[in-house]
Amino acid sequence: VSARFRRNLQPTLTYWSVFFSFGLCIGFLGPTLLDLRCQTQSSLSQITWVFFSQQFCLLLGSCLGGVFKRTLAQSLFALFASSLAISLVFAIIPLCHNVVVLAVVMAVAGLAMGCIDTISNMQLVKIYQKDSAIFLQALHFFVGFGALLSPLIAEPFLSDTNCILSNSTANASSNLPHIRKSLVPHHLGNLSNYDLPMKGMVVTRVSYAFWIMALINLPVPIAVFFLLYKERMVPCFNSSSHPLLSADELAMETRPVEKDELSTAVQRPHAAGG
């Protein structure tokens, strides 16, 4: 197993890093939900639709990822596009000032996450086959690492007070800690009693957190591109390389020469004057 791991070190590390992108994208939405509500100037019931759009499209992306299983090139190009899409999503989220636009962007992230989930698991099973259990466990460790890191990055930029300044800001600011506690998973409280302003001047610094996560995730598509380059699957870099002969060409090259062909080949220079 260790020898096979050394032979496939670059592909294995690449698939692990892509799953880090998966975890990074799945862990940020909960902590930043209230700041995203302020950014889009929407209600709590409206902003929670971004959860549905992300998770529903993650389901669709997991099914779509099976389409790219036919060849290694298709799988790697799908991983490259998905990891690059996640970086672009992080960069675009601060520019979304409408909850519908934000839901569409999160749907794109969900599709990318679903493709990553299916393809990375499948490729590791193809490489290690019956010994793939430990590598799949490491793969899911990177999901947890990414999901741990994204809230830590976002935490310094979250608003301690209400991020929409209006006449009712004072009351809303005192309610904010109770709302954050109510958003804890498995302990959801009744949020209808809290009145948060939807109109006013937006004061939030959560955009910096998303741009930092976009930069942290950027090496992942670069790593997938290097794997594509190593496997000679990048079209613009294939002209200078000389790939190995295919099986049919190799058979033609190694086929024994028949006597008639040999005599014809010997007589041809004499017919041309030596």
Side-chain angles (χ1 to χ4, degrees), residues 30 33-34 44 178-185 187-189 191:
L33 187 68
L34 293 179
L44 284 172
H178 302 287
I179 296 174
R180 291 196 184 277
K181 291 179 181 179
S182 300
L183 291 174
V184 175
H187 295 86
L188 290 176
L191 301 179

Side-chain angles (χ1 to χ4, degrees), residues 19-33 36 51 54-55 58 86 90 93 106 109 113 142-155 158 183 185 206 209-210 213:
F19 241 58
F20 169 76
S21 294
F22 182 97
L24 199 67
C25 196
I26 206 171
F28 77 90
L29 193 54
T32 61
L33 187 68
L36 291 175
F51 279 107
Q54 183 196 51
Q55 297 300 316
L58 194 154
I86 288 178
F90 282 134
I93 285 176
M106 293 307 301
M113 293 160 62
F142 281 92
V143 178
F145 180 60
L148 170 69
L149 188 62
S150 56
L152 295 179
I153 296 172
E155 195 275 333
L158 298 179
L183 291 174
V206 76
F210 291 116
M213 285 187 277

Side-chain angles (χ1 to χ4, degrees), residues 45-111:
S45 60
Q46 291 172 339
I47 194 63
T48 50
W49 277 99
V50 299
F51 279 107
F52 173 78
S53 64
Q54 183 196 51
Q55 297 300 316
F56 179 73
C57 289
L58 194 154
L59 171 64
L60 296 180
S62 299
C63 300
L64 184 64
V67 177
F68 303 104
K69 68 178 182 179
R70 298 176 183 175
T71 63
L72 179 62
Q74 290 181 358
S75 298
L76 291 180
F77 274 114
L79 286 181
F80 174 73
S82 299
S83 56
L84 185 61
I86 288 178
S87 286
L88 293 177
V89 163
F90 282 134
I92 292 174
I93 285 176
L95 307 178
C96 298
H97 299 288
N98 185 281
V99 68
V100 176
V101 177
L102 181 61
V104 171
V105 171
M106 293 307 301
V108 174
L111 288 173

Side-chain angles (χ1 to χ4, degrees), residues 27-267:
F28 77 90
L29 193 54
T32 61
L33 187 68
L34 293 179
D35 289 82
L36 291 175
R37 185 204 70 85
C38 296
Q39 178 181 299
T40 57
Q41 296 190 357
S42 57
S43 64
L44 284 172
S45 60
Q46 291 172 339
I47 194 63
T48 50
W49 277 99
V50 299
F51 279 107
F52 173 78
S53 64
Q54 183 196 51
Q55 297 300 316
F56 179 73
C57 289
L58 194 154
L59 171 64
L60 296 180
S62 299
C63 300
L64 184 64
V67 177
F68 303 104
K69 68 178 182 179
R70 298 176 183 175
T71 63
L72 179 62
Q74 290 181 358
S75 298
L76 291 180
F77 274 114
L79 286 181
F80 174 73
S82 299
S83 56
L84 185 61
I86 288 178
S87 286
L88 293 177
V89 163
F90 282 134
I92 292 174
I93 285 176
L95 307 178
C96 298
H97 299 288
N98 185 281
V99 68
V100 176
V101 177
L102 181 61
V104 171
V105 171
M106 293 307 301
V108 174
L111 288 173
M113 293 160 62
C115 290
I116 286 173
D117 190 10
T118 300
I119 295 174
S120 298
N121 280 282
M122 181 184 62
Q123 290 300 325
L124 281 179
V125 171
K126 280 186 176 181
I127 292 174
Y128 296 103
Q129 298 178 5
K130 64 179 182 179
D131 300 317
S132 60
I134 186 173
F135 299 99
L136 293 177
Q137 291 171 357
L139 185 78
H140 290 85
F141 162 80
F142 281 92
V143 178
F145 180 60
L148 170 69
L149 188 62
S150 56
L152 295 179
I153 296 172
E155 195 275 333
F157 303 100
L158 298 179
S159 300
D160 294 328
T161 59
N162 187 58
C163 44
I164 296 182
L165 301 180
S166 67
N167 294 331
S168 58
T169 299
N171 294 333
S173 299
S174 61
N175 290 333
L176 200 62
H178 302 287
I179 296 174
R180 291 196 184 277
K181 291 179 181 179
S182 300
L183 291 174
V184 175
H186 310 297
H187 295 86
L188 290 176
N190 185 10
L191 301 179
S192 60
N193 298 327
Y194 301 114
D195 182 24
L196 291 176
M198 296 175 56
K199 300 295 180 182
M201 187 175 65
V202 178
V203 181
T204 178
R205 298 181 301 130
V206 76
S207 302
Y208 298 108
F210 291 116
W211 288 330
I212 290 172
M213 285 187 277
L215 290 176
I216 290 176
N217 186 71
L218 195 58
V220 177
I222 295 175
V224 180
F225 180 81
F226 279 141
L227 183 58
L228 280 166
Y229 177 76
K230 179 187 176 184
E231 299 290 339
R232 296 179 177 179
M233 295 176 182
V234 183
C236 56
F237 292 102
N238 281 344
S239 58
S240 59
S241 62
H242 300 284
L244 296 175
L245 294 174
S246 64
D248 294 337
E249 293 172 339
L250 187 61
M252 291 295 294
E253 290 289 334
T254 58
R255 184 170 58 89
V257 181
E258 298 179 358
K259 293 182 179 181
D260 294 339
E261 295 177 352
L262 183 61
S263 61
T264 304
V266 172
Q267 292 173 4

